[in-house]
Amino acid sequence: MGRSLSTIIIWGVLAFLLAMMLTSPTGAVANANGAVLFGIVLVLTVAATLSTLAIWVGGAKREEEEVHHIAKAKRAYSNRVERLLEDLDDNEIYELEQRLLEGEQRRQAR
């Protein structure tokens, strides 16, 4: 949503600037010839295109990093549970199994 909104804003601003600049009877481009106007439009359009490209490419990299961090967090959680289970003695493991079974039975009874 953020990248799409940014893209809409960039191209909306470009359209607004070009409309104001090219339809104004006074101002810097009022007496400019076609080549100068084309150059201005070209430069502004290239700037908008590069800005849009930076937003979409940069956003994709950030999403990949977020997915990587989520996967890493899941692995860390899994490792933490494994380490916790390894630290339990036989009686504690038996008690944990009993609690899990009781919780499952309560859920099935509902």
Side-chain angles (χ1 to χ4, degrees), residues 44-61:
L44 291 175
T45 304
V46 167
T49 302
L50 292 176
S51 299
T52 302
L53 183 65
I55 288 169
W56 284 92
V57 171
K61 287 181 182 177

Side-chain angles (χ1 to χ4, degrees), residues 30-71:
N31 298 325
N33 63 18
V36 171
L37 290 176
F38 177 76
I40 292 170
V41 170
L42 182 66
V43 167
L44 291 175
T45 304
V46 167
T49 302
L50 292 176
S51 299
T52 302
L53 183 65
I55 288 169
W56 284 92
V57 171
K61 287 181 182 177
R62 189 175 310 138
E63 285 179 2
E64 289 176 12
E65 290 174 1
E66 288 175 7
V67 168
H68 175 71
H69 289 303
I70 290 170

